[in-house]
Amino acid sequence: MGSLTSLMDIAQQSLIADQNALNITSNNVANQNTPGYTREVVSWQPDDAVTLNGQTFYEGITSSAVSQRDRVLDQRVQQQTQVQAQSQALDGALQQVENIFGLSSSSTSAGTTALGTAIDSFFNSFSSLAANPTDTATRQSVLDAANTLASNFNSASNQISQIATGLSQQVSGIVGQVNSLTAAIASLNQQIGSVSPNSDAGSLEDQRQQAINQLSQLVGLDQISTESNGITLTTSNGAVLVDGGKSFALGTTDAAGATDVVSSATGADITAGLTGGQLGGVLEARDQQIPAYQSSLDNLAYAIGTQVNSQNVLGLDENGVAGAALFTLSATATGAASAIAVSTTDPSKIAAAASTEGAAGNSNAQALADLASATLVGGSTADGFYSGLLGQIGNDASAATTDNSAQQATLTQLTTQRDSLSGVSLDEEAANLTTYQRSYEAAAKVFTIVDQVMADALNLGEQTTVS
């Protein structure tokens, strides 16, 4: 009877273990489309063993769920997510800059843009004035062309500033999302440390990993595994975000009109060293790329304005009076594109004649027209410098788009590799379901047979009411 009782216990444990395996499989199927879910497999372990006369007998079997996660592969996906998110954010910002100048993948010609056309029209208007220096309509055309040029400089500069302002607003929004996720990760660290400090915590780790993946899309991270199955997270430049069950929020501060990022742990401005994620791409565009474009635009506006002003004061206007500055400019090149404006509305103030000519002369108008082919800025003509600026913007935008496509392809490859291990395959789960069901039926059959044998033994082979 003792052996039969043991056999019945073993059958009972097998039934429990098989039922647990069926539950694990059902859970996998139910969570096939759950974001961040990691497939679980059944781990079978023999129960306590008993040794009699040199032979070891196992008392049954138990089953448990083990998540199929590769921590190294998970971190590779996180790191690539950070790189891809940064390249995507940079690509988006540079496409906005391209749109300001009317650039496209098929055209980066200065002559096809509004500002390029305005520059050409402005200098061409002086050629027309040289041909007919006393014509009021021609003089008015020069003023109109000057106003159009100034307006295009103002518009381009203001739009670039608006992009920079929008990027600063994104910084504030991203910081808020980062703080929400780091608080959630710290809370999950606490739960995991309490529930499963020395082994996989199943769904809690799935939730934490999903939160870290989302955080990787926002900011560059370094991750360190700690005791009690915890994780410490820092930014790419070492500012602590999560340490065990504690989170350290990021803050923002205004720095010369831009939004910078501050670590609450140290109070230091950490903007300069932040890379990775959307925040890294936004900061790269705002603090590196856009200031360079704005500076070039300012230099061009300042060079054209100062050279035209210098030449205009050398001549005589229609009234025989020495010419004055045609443009109002800032004191230095900084901010020149947004500040440039035409200083007069009187067409007679244009100094078409040289100081040695009468008021009807045209030598100074020709000298003003010749500025189109003169070296004005950066060792180039105005058109040449502007073409170089457009080429730089176009090249940078194209490179960002190409890089983003490459980074996305790499991320897709790594994600596919991870999912082949951690993702749920319905075909595999169907096969497992059949296997565990047959095992359950076999254990149930053993249980039934042992029950019948025990009944027969108790009844000494006689047909009675005992069953």
Side-chain angles (χ1 to χ4, degrees):
M1 291 293 290
S3 296
L4 290 176
T5 302
S6 297
L7 189 58
M8 182 170 285
D9 288 340
I10 291 173
Q12 181 185 26
Q13 291 182 43
S14 180
L15 286 171
I16 294 172
D18 289 330
Q19 182 61 61
N20 187 44
L22 288 168
N23 291 340
I24 292 170
T25 302
S26 299
N27 189 53
N28 284 340
V29 173
N31 287 283
Q32 181 200 14
N33 297 316
T34 301
Y37 179 77
T38 300
R39 177 173 65 98
E40 295 178 335
V41 298
V42 181
S43 175
W44 305 93
Q45 301 93 21
D47 209 344
D48 295 338
V50 176
T51 301
L52 297 174
N53 299 323
Q55 291 186 333
T56 300
F57 301 91
Y58 290 96
E59 294 297 310
I61 194 170
T62 60
S63 63
S64 59
V66 177
S67 298
Q68 292 299 96
R69 67 176 85 250
D70 183 330
R71 298 190 186 279
V72 173
L73 190 53
D74 282 342
Q75 286 202 36
R76 289 184 64 194
V77 171
Q78 289 168 219
Q79 292 164 358
Q80 186 58 32
T81 298
Q82 296 163 30
V83 174
Q84 188 277 328
Q86 176 167 346
S87 68
Q88 185 175 37
L90 178 61
D91 182 30
L94 294 185
Q95 286 184 19
Q96 292 183 61
V97 177
E98 276 194 311
N99 291 337
I100 291 174
F101 296 96
L103 299 178
S104 67
S105 58
S106 59
S107 175
T108 57
S109 171
T112 63
T113 67
L115 181 54
T117 301
I119 293 172
D120 291 341
S121 297
F122 176 63
F123 287 117
N124 289 337
S125 71
F126 285 119
S127 295
S128 298
L129 181 61
N132 197 0
T134 60
D135 183 62
T136 302
T138 304
R139 286 176 170 272
Q140 184 61 51
S141 295
V142 173
L143 283 185
D144 291 343
N147 278 301
T148 299
L149 177 62
S151 176
N152 276 277
F153 270 122
N154 298 158
S155 177
S157 179
N158 291 337
Q159 288 182 73
I160 290 176
S161 296
Q162 288 171 10
I163 292 176
T165 299
L167 293 174
S168 284
Q169 291 173 350
Q170 287 187 47
V171 169
S172 297
I174 291 171
V175 165
Q177 296 177 62
V178 167
N179 291 339
S180 177
L181 287 169
T182 53
I185 293 168
S187 175
L188 287 166
N189 269 344
Q190 286 183 321
Q191 296 177 58
I192 290 170
S194 300
V195 174
S196 183
N198 299 314
S199 61
D200 188 279
S203 62
L204 287 175
E205 286 206 37
D206 288 345
Q207 294 175 44
R208 183 176 66 182
Q209 189 60 47
Q210 181 70 359
I212 293 174
N213 288 340
Q214 293 174 359
L215 189 60
S216 295
Q217 295 177 355
L218 300 175
V219 65
L221 301 171
D222 286 328
Q223 176 177 320
I224 302 171
S225 297
T226 62
E227 61 183 8
S228 299
N229 207 5
I231 285 178
T232 293
L233 297 176
T234 66
T235 63
S236 54
N237 57 349
V240 179
L241 295 174
V242 176
D243 185 9
K246 296 181 180 179
S247 64
F248 298 87
L250 296 177
T252 58
T253 184
D254 182 78
T259 301
D260 279 1
V261 182
V262 177
S263 169
S264 66
T266 63
D269 189 324
I270 60 173
T271 308
L274 287 173
T275 60
Q278 293 179 30
L279 187 57
V282 165
L283 292 175
E284 182 180 356
R286 189 196 71 179
D287 297 342
Q288 299 177 38
Q289 302 282 22
I290 287 179
Y293 305 146
Q294 182 71 71
S295 177
S296 293
L297 192 67
D298 285 341
N299 287 335
L300 180 60
Y302 190 75
I304 291 176
T306 54
Q307 290 297 321
V308 169
N309 285 349
S310 296
Q311 188 62 50
N312 201 59
V313 299
L314 296 178
L316 298 176
D317 66 16
E318 193 174 28
N319 302 312
V321 178
L326 184 60
F327 290 108
T328 299
L329 292 168
S330 53
T332 64
T334 302
S338 63
I340 189 172
V342 178
S343 60
T344 182
T345 57
D346 185 355
S348 68
K349 296 296 184 181
I350 300 171
S355 59
T356 57
E357 298 176 326
N362 69 349
S363 296
N364 206 51
Q366 188 59 55
L368 287 164
D370 290 342
L371 290 176
S373 57
T375 300
L376 295 185
V377 54
S380 300
T381 64
D383 267 345
F385 185 85
Y386 182 57
S387 294
L389 171 58
L390 295 185
Q392 186 64 53
I393 294 171
N395 289 337
D396 289 346
S398 177
T401 299
T402 301
D403 181 60
N404 182 43
S405 297
Q407 299 302 341
Q408 180 60 59
T410 301
L411 178 59
T412 299
Q413 182 180 25
L414 286 172
T415 302
T416 300
Q417 185 178 352
R418 181 194 62 186
D419 290 348
S420 67
L421 170 69
S422 301
V424 176
S425 167
L426 290 182
D427 291 339
E428 184 176 351
E429 299 305 327
N432 289 339
L433 191 64
T434 301
T435 299
Y436 303 147
Q437 183 179 357
R438 293 289 181 266
S439 179
Y440 185 92
E441 291 172 350
K445 187 67 173 177
V446 170
F447 193 93
T448 301
I449 292 172
V450 172
D451 179 64
Q452 183 62 51
V453 171
M454 290 184 68
D456 289 344
L458 288 171
N459 296 329
L460 300 177
E462 297 293 329
Q463 295 294 326
T464 69
T465 57
V466 178
S467 61

